[in-house]
Amino acid sequence: MSTFPTDINTIAWPKATDRESVIEINNLKKSFGTQQVLKDVSIKLYKGENLVILGKSGSGKSVLIKCIVRLMNPDAGTINVLGENLSTLNTDALGLLRQKLGFLFQSGALYDSMTVRENLEFPLRRIKKDLSEKEISEKVIEALENVGLADALNKMPSQLSGGMRKRISLARTIVVDPMIMLYDEPTTGLDPVTSDEISELINEVQKKYKTSSIIITHDIECARATADRIIMLKDGEVYTEGNIDDFETSTDPLIKSFFK
Amino acid sequence: MGKFLPALNVIPKLRDATAHSMTKLSEKTLEQTGIFSRFLMDVADVFLFMARFNKELFSGRFEWKEFGHQCYQVGYKTLPLISITGAIMGLVLTIQSRPVLADFGAVSMLPGMVTVSLIREMGPVITALICAGKIGSGMGAELGSMKVTEQIEAMEVSSTNPMRFLVVTRVLAATIMIPLLVLYADLLGILGSWGGANIKGSVTFTLFFSQAFSAVDFLDFLPAVVKTFFFGAVIGLVGTYKGYNAGRGTESVGIAANSAVVLASLLVIIVDMIAVQITDMIIS
């Protein structure tokens, strides 16, 4: 792991030990066959922060985020989410923990056979079982208003553009009031204007819902707009970490190639 | 000594040829071992999938709404196809059989013969093969596309068990709806047969049906119905298995749909063969 010319401990944010971590990843390893995708990765996400994980394609970013929700099981290492060790949870406990996590998929992952309303109602009916029909309807409309797409309520996903799909997908994630948001390449495949809008939405979600977020991306503009802290992965290892200014002023060739 | 020299020259060539053959042999052995181990892993995957299906079937909350939706998709949406094929099946069987029976002066046996053929074999197998094509491929393609576009993972993350929601409901819907579709196809086949009988002759509806059903007894009917439940289960399981285990690219959606049809059709024929053997053993 390389270090910046500046001493990270002198940066304005509070010391790591003073802050409450909501996700703690220790010595995580994951391989597919002979290919080692994650090699001893250790990362912490602190309460209320937006942590951007940068890296080239194939650096293990998406695998890391999928391990956090146990869509993939790591080969070694531990992941603690909200104080729970993921590897020790049974299916029911994992289901309960997942209710506190929001995951925005790279493709949006909207259910093709359902309307926008049904897409939003789907997790709501399963997670917030005590809500009445009126409350469900209100929450769906509120989430859609938050992403600026209240008029898309009865549309099918096939009738939406890429940017709209991402927004609806974000609405489906926030409708259940998650504590932690995980964004997998939120701006990939979008034009610069829509990418900026999505980055804005990520910040708004953080403020409004008081979420802590991990944003996996290789889009520097998105990182600039959203990051409180950045971790760069290279070949499955943490290469460096800092804030956006550290990265902008770094002389490291790899970081410069990203931020040129 | 000189006369042995040419023979000695041959030895290195022989050694190289042997080494080359051995290398080829070991490569081929490794390749075949690889194919065999992949086959064994596929078989293990199928059993694990079935074990998971059984576990999810009897545990947790049943997805009634999705089950109803799947019954509608599998049953109601397949009715037009089954109606046409069922009626044509009876009609063709009657037209083809009539001259043979006429040669023996046994045209009066036509309704009974066609009905027994339809109920025992033609109706269940042809309907199941059509369902393997329509329902099996549909399930394979739908679940495969959901896998590729991360919808199954999205479901898992939003605290929904995709195996229970997607697989259990579809397999049960196919298991229950396909026997009903077969009965419907049988009925339309008999109606088609009555239509066929009236092309070259004249027979009343009442007479045709009384002759048709007088030839059928309970032992024609029961095994045929029982095996259709297995046909339904096989079609549902194969369709969902292929879709649920599809690869990552868009190409894998096509592969999932295609292999679901091929495997489901093959298994329908195999299950039919086993069912006929068991029925024969029990009856005799």
Side-chain angles (χ1 to χ4, degrees):
Chain A
M1 180 173 153
S2 75
T3 50
F4 281 106
T6 53
D7 180 2
I8 282 178
N9 289 325
T10 63
I11 295 169
W13 4 292
K15 282 184 184 170
T17 48
D18 299 338
R19 294 191 289 174
E20 185 188 341
S21 64
V22 285
I23 295 180
E24 210 172 312
I25 300 166
N26 294 310
N27 311 109
L28 197 71
K29 289 175 187 166
K30 176 75 184 169
S31 301
F32 295 102
T34 53
Q35 192 194 357
Q36 205 174 357
V37 180
L38 294 175
K39 305 166 189 168
D40 207 25
V41 171
S42 296
I43 287 172
K44 278 184 181 178
L45 171 71
Y46 298 107
K47 195 173 183 180
E49 78 167 341
N50 274 352
L51 170 66
V52 168
I53 297 181
L54 269 181
K56 290 195 294 185
S57 298
S59 57
K61 306 185 298 289
S62 293
V63 173
L64 173 71
I65 205 172
K66 285 187 176 173
C67 285
I68 295 174
V69 282
R70 223 170 87 179
L71 283 173
M72 285 180 185
N73 286 315
D75 299 333
T78 57
I79 302 173
N80 284 291
V81 179
L82 298 167
E84 304 275 4
N85 185 344
L86 277 192
S87 60
T88 61
L89 297 180
N90 61 23
T91 315
D92 293 337
L94 181 66
L96 287 173
L97 182 67
R98 279 175 173 166
Q99 294 178 5
K100 296 169 188 164
L101 307 176
F103 196 117
L104 182 73
F105 285 85
Q106 194 173 342
S107 60
L110 292 176
Y111 307 126
D112 290 334
S113 56
M114 300 182 193
T115 62
V116 168
R117 178 199 286 272
E118 288 164 344
N119 260 284
L120 268 72
E121 284 177 354
F122 188 84
L124 206 51
R125 287 184 193 282
R126 276 141 214 285
I127 293 172
K128 309 258 179 186
K129 288 175 187 161
D130 50 342
L131 291 182
S132 66
E133 284 299 314
K134 193 182 167 212
E135 286 169 322
I136 287 174
S137 190
E138 281 169 3
K139 276 194 87 68
V140 166
I141 289 166
E142 186 197 333
L144 284 175
E145 277 170 354
N146 284 336
V147 297
L149 283 172
D151 53 340
L153 193 65
N154 295 312
K155 286 187 176 168
M156 295 299 286
S158 57
Q159 295 172 290
L160 305 171
S161 67
M164 287 163 90
R165 279 166 163 257
K166 278 270 164 74
R167 281 159 174 264
I168 300 290
S169 187
L170 183 56
R172 185 180 65 182
T173 313
I174 59 176
V175 78
V176 290
D177 305 321
M179 293 169 76
I180 300 170
M181 285 291 298
L182 304 167
Y183 300 91
D184 189 7
E185 311 260 10
T187 57
T188 297
L190 302 178
D191 61 84
V193 177
T194 314
S195 294
D196 289 348
E197 287 171 1
I198 296 288
S199 301
E200 272 304 304
L201 272 175
I202 292 172
N203 286 331
E204 281 171 26
V205 166
Q206 185 202 19
K207 280 179 199 143
K208 186 163 184 180
Y209 293 86
K210 307 267 184 287
T211 54
S212 316
S213 314
I214 292 182
I215 302 146
I216 299 284
T217 189
H218 49 234
D219 176 4
I220 297 305
E221 291 310 317
C222 175
R224 279 196 183 105
T226 57
D228 294 320
R229 189 161 59 100
I230 301 176
I231 286 178
M232 180 175 267
L233 289 187
K234 188 194 171 203
D235 300 330
E237 288 176 298
V238 175
Y239 182 68
T240 188
E241 74 171 278
N243 63 20
I244 189 74
D245 294 334
D246 301 326
F247 277 78
E248 298 272 20
T249 54
S250 171
T251 53
D252 186 291
L254 178 68
I255 298 170
K256 276 178 80 176
S257 69
F258 266 87
F259 282 82
K260 64 187 172 192
Chain B
M1 183 67 190
K3 64 182 177 184
F4 293 114
L5 280 176
L8 287 171
N9 287 338
V10 170
I11 291 172
K13 286 180 187 167
L14 202 64
R15 187 190 58 208
D16 290 347
T18 313
H20 181 71
S21 308
M22 289 300 281
T23 314
K24 279 273 178 203
L25 187 69
S26 46
E27 276 174 6
K28 206 166 181 180
T29 311
L30 275 174
E31 192 184 312
Q32 281 172 352
T33 314
I35 293 167
F36 185 64
S37 62
R38 270 203 301 278
F39 169 74
L40 287 181
M41 279 162 74
D42 283 346
V43 172
D45 269 354
V46 172
F47 278 102
L48 280 174
F49 185 80
M50 284 170 70
R52 227 185 126 190
F53 167 79
N54 282 321
K55 184 185 157 232
E56 298 301 341
L57 180 63
F58 299 110
S59 66
R61 199 183 76 160
F62 186 72
E63 301 281 354
W64 285 105
K65 196 179 168 197
E66 180 63 12
F67 171 68
H69 176 67
Q70 289 307 321
C71 284
Y72 171 80
Q73 290 288 335
V74 171
Y76 184 73
K77 291 259 176 122
T78 318
L79 273 182
L81 186 63
I82 296 299
S83 305
I84 294 166
T85 45
I88 290 174
M89 196 162 55
L91 183 87
V92 169
L93 199 59
T94 305
I95 293 170
Q96 297 274 34
S97 310
R98 190 188 173 94
V100 182
L101 290 175
D103 286 347
F104 293 97
V107 178
S108 61
M109 291 175 75
L110 188 66
M113 195 211 77
V114 170
T115 306
V116 169
S117 307
L118 280 172
I119 288 176
R120 274 191 175 188
E121 197 61 31
M122 299 286 282
V125 173
I126 290 182
T127 307
L129 288 175
I130 289 165
C131 288
K134 187 184 180 293
I135 299 162
S137 69
M139 286 178 182
E142 188 186 9
L143 266 60
S145 133
M146 288 184 79
K147 178 87 181 278
V148 169
T149 54
E150 299 176 307
Q151 291 176 51
I152 293 181
E153 289 184 341
M155 212 168 260
E156 215 169 331
V157 168
S158 59
S159 292
T160 302
N161 185 331
M163 192 77 184
R164 203 177 295 155
F165 187 82
L166 297 171
V167 176
V168 170
T169 53
R170 278 165 175 76
V171 175
L172 281 186
T175 310
I176 290 167
M177 295 316 288
I178 286 175
L180 295 177
L181 287 171
V182 168
L183 291 177
Y184 176 71
D186 288 348
L187 183 68
L188 281 175
I190 297 167
L191 279 172
S193 174
W194 175 64
N198 275 290
I199 291 174
K200 284 198 174 172
S202 177
V203 54
T204 63
F205 184 78
T206 324
L207 178 64
F208 186 90
F209 267 71
S210 76
Q211 283 190 341
F213 283 104
S214 65
V216 181
D217 67 23
F218 188 65
L219 283 175
D220 292 319
F221 190 72
L222 184 70
V225 172
V226 170
K227 73 181 173 187
T228 56
F229 283 98
F230 287 97
F231 291 166
V234 160
I235 292 166
L237 274 170
V238 170
T240 50
Y241 170 75
K242 288 289 176 184
Y244 204 82
N245 291 292
R248 283 282 162 195
T250 45
E251 188 195 30
S252 51
V253 178
I255 294 171
N258 186 273
S259 54
V261 177
V262 173
L263 188 59
S265 305
L266 186 68
L267 287 176
V268 161
I269 303 287
I270 292 171
V271 168
D272 184 53
M273 184 189 72
I274 296 167
V276 167
Q277 291 293 326
I278 292 172
T279 310
D280 190 49
M281 276 163 57
I282 292 170
I283 291 172
S284 60

